[in-house]
Amino acid sequence: MGVSNAEAMGYEFISHAFAIYEEEVCDSKAQLMAISLIIATFEKTTNFCEENHEPLRSQCFRASSKLLKKPDQCRAVSLCAHLYWSGKNKEEGGNQLQNSTKVLECLKKAVRISNQCMEPTVQVQLFIELLNKYVYFLGNGCEEVSESVLSQLVGKIKEDLPGLESGDITRQIVNHFGTTLGFLEHHHELLF
């Protein structure tokens, strides 16, 4: 099989994966798992030129944005940020794309989606998950992720935490948040 044929076959493979996803996967949990697998698989490919890579990234983003449940949308859209950071195409010579602007767009969209969640516990949990995504990209040199962006999200979480009902889930959320803040302090010397 020739190199040019490999790209066409890879594109067909991802396109068929999307067709199966759209036509056959109906359960919301299965949809999140399927789109997550498509995104993760596509992120690891290196044989696409930008002309083919960009439409597939956009298709991942659109499919993520259309998931039925807001928490699933949020998680899938935040996964798309990795396509713009660690995704690779031929034009980059196998190097990561590292498009800070697109990464931030995905993460901001995920924050907007999480703001639409009606359940306060789920909303705060999503904010903390997104904070961890922001921390990941900060640690990997994403220039668009600044201390002020992190500060806004930390402030929102601190504002919403006291309103959560007491219970095991809330304790887990508080512990997760504390661990994230500890990591920021220890590894990035950021105090919030």
Side-chain angles (χ1 to χ4, degrees):
M1 166 171 61
V3 172
S4 63
N5 198 22
E7 181 174 355
M9 288 181 69
Y11 193 89
E12 261 320 286
F13 176 80
I14 299 288
S15 296
H16 281 336
F18 271 113
I20 292 168
Y21 165 79
E22 291 169 355
E23 294 169 11
E24 302 294 330
V25 183
C26 299
D27 178 67
S28 63
K29 283 187 178 190
Q31 285 180 333
L32 177 61
M33 288 176 36
I35 196 65
S36 297
L37 288 171
I38 291 171
I39 291 168
T41 301
F42 181 51
E43 178 190 5
K44 297 299 178 188
T45 61
T46 58
N47 63 323
F48 293 110
C49 65
E50 181 61 17
E51 181 180 325
N52 288 329
H53 205 269
E54 196 285 321
L56 291 172
R57 287 190 309 257
S58 295
Q59 193 170 5
C60 288
F61 185 82
R62 278 191 309 277
S64 297
S65 297
K66 291 180 181 176
L67 290 170
L68 181 63
K69 296 180 178 179
K70 292 296 180 187
D72 294 346
Q73 278 184 25
C74 175
R75 290 179 175 115
V77 166
S78 72
L79 278 177
C80 288
H82 293 278
L83 296 176
Y84 294 100
W85 188 256
S86 53
K88 301 172 184 168
N89 64 25
K90 284 196 240 181
E91 280 81 353
E92 295 298 320
N95 296 320
Q96 296 179 342
L97 296 174
Q98 296 191 343
N99 184 334
S100 295
T101 304
K102 287 290 197 179
V103 166
L104 194 61
E105 282 178 26
C106 289
L107 294 177
K108 283 183 174 182
K109 171 80 172 175
V111 169
R112 285 193 302 274
I113 293 167
S114 63
N115 270 319
Q116 297 171 10
C117 289
M118 301 306 283
E119 174 60 42
T121 304
V122 173
Q123 189 179 60
V124 173
Q125 186 176 6
L126 290 171
F127 287 148
I128 296 169
E129 289 176 22
L130 290 170
L131 177 62
N132 279 278
K133 289 279 187 191
Y134 276 102
V135 170
Y136 168 82
F137 287 110
L138 173 71
N140 283 284
C142 184
E143 298 165 357
E144 296 288 326
V145 176
S146 64
E147 187 175 339
S148 68
V149 170
L150 292 173
S151 182
Q152 288 174 353
L153 196 50
V154 167
K156 177 71 172 144
I157 295 167
K158 284 183 175 180
E159 179 183 311
D160 292 350
L161 268 178
L164 300 182
E165 292 181 25
S166 297
D168 290 339
I169 293 174
T170 299
R171 277 190 291 284
Q172 290 173 359
I173 289 171
V174 169
N175 288 340
H176 188 192
F177 184 51
T179 302
T180 302
L181 291 180
F183 181 87
L184 279 168
E185 181 180 346
H186 181 73
H187 292 283
H188 299 286
E189 298 178 0
L190 297 174
L191 297 172
F192 294 100

